Amino acid sequence: MATFNKRGYKAPKEKDVKLDNNYIEDVNVDEKDSATAKAFDTLDQTASKAEDFVAKNQKYIIGFLTVVALATVSYLMYQKFIAEPKQQDAAEELFVAQQNFQKAVDGGAKADSLYNLVLKGSEGKFGVVKIAEEYSGTDAGNLANYYAGIAYLNTKKYAEAIASLEKFSSSDIMLNALSKGAIGDAYAQQNKQKEALDYYIKAADASKNDFTRPRFLLKAGKTALAMGNKADAVKYFTDIKDNYDSTPEGQNIDALIGLAQ
């Protein structure tokens, strides 16, 4: 029997095989994935230990935080209600002493009596000695030590001058240099030349300005010369000649260099 294809007839196609895209034939876990998993495990363990520590020591942690909080509050209250009023009181007490000090520095026959008023007080206000004691730790109390040292120096109480000036400290380059130089003067007045020279050098090195440095280099040079240290004297005098020749200390410096050579 003959066979033929009926017009329009198509042979049936093979059924497509649908793949399950959710199926993963092969899974490879590399070392990085493994390390990441271990890291997470370690973090979990650490977190767990931290939680256990907090749970076991909660009372102590809360106590510690409470102490810190109380300390902070106490400090702020101290600053507001004690330190700041104390600063203000000290400044008010110092005002009269400062006025007397300035009058004494300006000169006159009453300079010594004015310096004594600076030290002991007047017009119902403390003198600088009392202010330095009563208001220790304040700016005014610190400055009172400087005024006391200079007042003692000018009234020839050299040991007291040194003691007061050594208590003074300042970030002001002028006052810092002047206070050290004043200690040198007090030692020089006691004929303690070595100690005087040490402080003159400290004063000169405290600041390289045109006022204090040449002033104390000159004193250092003269003290070194008096001690017989001519080489050191030449060094100090030459520093003035090379760097501060236009200052009052530099006017006759060649004669001093010649004397020291």
Side-chain angles (χ1 to χ4, degrees):
M1 181 176 181
T3 60
F4 61 90
N5 291 330
K6 189 176 180 180
R7 183 178 296 177
Y9 173 81
K10 293 182 179 180
K13 294 181 179 180
E14 293 183 2
K15 292 184 178 180
D16 293 335
V17 178
K18 189 174 181 180
L19 296 177
D20 184 359
N21 290 327
N22 293 322
Y23 175 73
I24 300 175
E25 293 184 351
D26 189 14
V27 178
N28 291 321
V29 179
D30 60 19
E31 292 182 0
K32 182 186 288 187
D33 294 331
S34 178
T36 302
K38 288 181 180 178
F40 279 116
D41 287 342
T42 302
L43 289 173
D44 288 341
Q45 292 174 7
T46 303
S48 179
K49 289 179 180 178
E51 290 172 358
D52 290 342
F53 175 81
V54 171
K56 291 178 181 179
N57 299 277
Q58 187 173 12
K59 181 171 66 175
Y60 301 105
I61 294 171
I62 292 173
F64 172 75
L65 294 175
T66 301
V67 170
V68 171
L70 288 173
T72 302
V73 171
S74 298
Y75 173 77
L76 294 174
M77 291 181 68
Y78 171 81
Q79 289 295 316
K80 183 173 181 60
F81 296 108
I82 298 177
E84 291 179 9
K86 189 176 181 181
Q87 290 273 13
Q88 182 65 32
D89 290 345
E92 291 175 0
E93 287 288 343
L94 189 61
F95 180 72
V96 172
Q98 286 176 313
Q99 289 183 315
N100 288 327
F101 183 87
Q102 189 58 53
K103 291 177 184 176
V105 171
D106 290 341
K110 297 182 179 180
D112 284 352
S113 61
L114 286 168
Y115 279 124
N116 282 320
L117 290 178
V118 171
L119 291 166
K120 297 177 181 179
S122 63
E123 300 179 31
K125 297 295 183 181
F126 290 154
V128 291
V129 175
K130 188 72 171 178
I131 293 171
E133 293 175 355
E134 293 292 324
Y135 298 98
S136 175
T138 67
D139 293 339
N142 179 50
L143 190 57
N145 285 312
Y146 175 78
Y147 288 133
I150 302 301
Y152 278 133
L153 181 62
N154 282 277
T155 53
K156 301 179 181 181
K157 296 178 180 179
Y158 304 121
E160 291 88 339
I162 293 169
S164 292
L165 289 167
E166 285 181 337
K167 295 175 185 176
F168 173 72
S169 62
S170 177
S171 58
D172 184 280
I173 57 175
M174 289 291 189
L175 284 179
N176 185 34
L178 289 172
S179 64
K180 288 179 170 57
I183 293 175
D185 289 341
Y187 277 121
Q189 290 297 326
Q190 297 178 88
N191 201 32
K192 296 179 179 180
Q193 294 177 329
K194 182 181 181 302
E195 292 84 350
L197 179 59
D198 288 342
Y199 273 95
Y200 287 146
I201 294 170
K202 289 179 181 179
D205 290 342
S207 173
K208 294 186 178 181
N209 63 75
D210 290 347
F211 174 65
T212 59
R213 183 165 173 79
R215 176 180 181 178
F216 294 117
L217 280 173
L218 183 62
K219 290 191 176 188
K222 288 181 176 180
T223 303
L225 188 59
M227 294 172 66
N229 298 334
K230 290 188 175 182
D232 286 343
V234 169
K235 179 177 68 175
Y236 303 135
F237 293 149
T238 302
D239 194 337
I240 295 173
K241 179 178 174 62
D242 291 344
N243 300 297
Y244 306 98
D245 62 322
S246 61
T247 64
E249 291 78 12
Q251 300 306 305
N252 299 310
I253 202 65
D254 286 331
L256 289 171
I257 292 174
L259 186 63
Q261 287 176 335

